[in-house]
Amino acid sequence: AQTVTQSQPEMSVQEAETVTLSCTYDTSENNYYLFWYKQPPSRQMILVIRQEAYKQQNATENRFSVNFQKAAKSFSLKISDSQLGDTAMYFCAFMTNTGNQFYFGTGTSLTVIP
Amino acid sequence: ETGVTQSPTHLIKTRGQQVTLRCSSQSGHNTVSWYQQALGQGPQFIFQYYREEENGRGNFPPRFSGLQFPNYSSELNVNALELDDSALYLCASSRSGKTPDEQFFGPGTRLTVL
């Protein structure tokens, strides 16, 4: 079974500062995919970044980057130069290489303070 | 390009009733997945439809059923509603039933069961 754990229910960061959201997961699979989704108050889930487990290089998308530690089964999200629009729930998600469903964590509520 | 749409936005039902939620997939997508997101939780996979056939199911009872139509839109039906069915129901569409195709989420339907 696949599980995803986000141990930080709430976090806050000053505008323009950097924040890191934590995620750990458990799986016996060797090939899989990891994702960070953002869910603003509008409720629509938006893909922030994704990482293929077979790639050693950490994924980056503009101000968003991940620290993927496969052996430790850790997948943290770093947001640089935080903006007010980054305020949202952030979900870490896992998908196996052969599966078709996401396994989501319980989310981290991030507030960017002006 | 039209995104994923869901209707209705909000719905209130009483225990024991039946409900139908609708999802229109993004243009060019032939796969629809449904998720249940209880308050304060991450989304949980209900099932997926690919080319009008069920293509995987999560740990939900048979009273949760679905359909996919030739235009790839989809319905989620829930019979004999229970109080615990109160949640945000999200659908997500993708281009194929294969991992790891990106899934695009709709804004969700908020179901309240009284």
Side-chain angles (χ1 to χ4, degrees):
Chain A
Q2 284 36 257
T3 59
V4 178
T5 302
Q6 295 179 249
S7 58
Q8 306 154 314
E10 296 182 359
M11 293 191 73
S12 61
V13 62
Q14 290 290 140
E15 194 175 5
E17 296 294 306
T18 296
V19 65
T20 299
L21 279 56
S22 301
C23 172
T24 58
Y25 59 93
D26 191 24
T27 183
S28 57
E29 303 281 335
N30 192 47
N31 295 319
Y32 50 85
Y33 302 84
L34 294 160
F35 306 80
W36 279 97
Y37 273 87
K38 168 184 176 180
Q39 187 177 42
S42 66
R43 308 183 317 199
Q44 193 143 8
M45 299 280 272
I46 302 164
L47 177 65
V48 175
I49 198 166
R50 86 176 205 183
Q51 173 83 41
E52 289 86 349
Y54 64 86
K55 290 187 177 179
Q56 292 187 335
Q57 187 171 6
N58 289 325
T60 62
E61 285 288 342
N62 300 315
R63 298 183 294 107
F64 299 88
S65 62
V66 298
N67 183 6
F68 173 48
Q69 303 286 331
K70 191 173 184 179
K73 296 180 180 175
S74 170
F75 183 62
S76 61
L77 173 69
K78 185 171 84 171
I79 306 174
S80 304
D81 186 26
S82 296
Q83 301 176 359
L84 297 179
D86 295 335
T87 293
M89 281 291 288
Y90 286 81
F91 290 96
C92 178
F94 171 100
M95 182 181 282
T96 66
N97 190 43
T98 55
N100 56 5
Q101 62 170 289
F102 285 113
Y103 296 88
F104 285 92
T106 52
T108 295
S109 177
L110 176 68
T111 300
V112 179
I113 302 166
Chain B
E1 186 178 77
T2 306
V4 179
T5 60
Q6 292 186 242
S7 62
T9 306
H10 296 89
L11 202 52
I12 300 174
K13 291 286 188 178
T14 56
R15 196 169 46 182
Q17 285 188 311
Q18 178 266 341
V19 69
T20 297
L21 309 182
R22 295 178 176 83
C23 172
S24 292
S25 59
Q26 185 161 313
S27 177
H29 289 186
N30 59 14
T31 302
V32 173
S33 302
W34 285 93
Y35 291 82
Q36 180 196 66
Q37 186 179 9
L39 196 62
Q41 300 296 316
Q44 297 219 345
F45 177 70
I46 303 174
F47 43 57
Q48 183 184 82
Y49 277 83
Y50 171 57
R51 293 185 175 178
E52 303 178 57
E53 299 276 338
E54 188 176 286
N55 184 43
R57 188 180 183 92
N59 189 26
F60 281 82
R63 59 189 186 83
F64 285 79
S65 63
L67 281 174
Q68 188 177 32
F69 300 99
N71 67 355
Y72 302 125
S73 65
S74 177
E75 286 183 354
L76 164 65
N77 298 291
V78 187
N79 293 323
L81 283 167
E82 300 178 0
L83 297 180
D84 285 348
D85 296 334
S86 294
L88 179 68
Y89 288 84
L90 298 167
C91 81
S93 74
S94 53
R95 285 170 297 183
S96 72
K98 298 178 181 179
T99 303
D101 212 13
E102 181 179 348
Q103 297 188 16
F104 293 80
F105 285 84
T109 293
R110 172 75 66 189
L111 172 64
T112 302
V113 182
L114 302 176

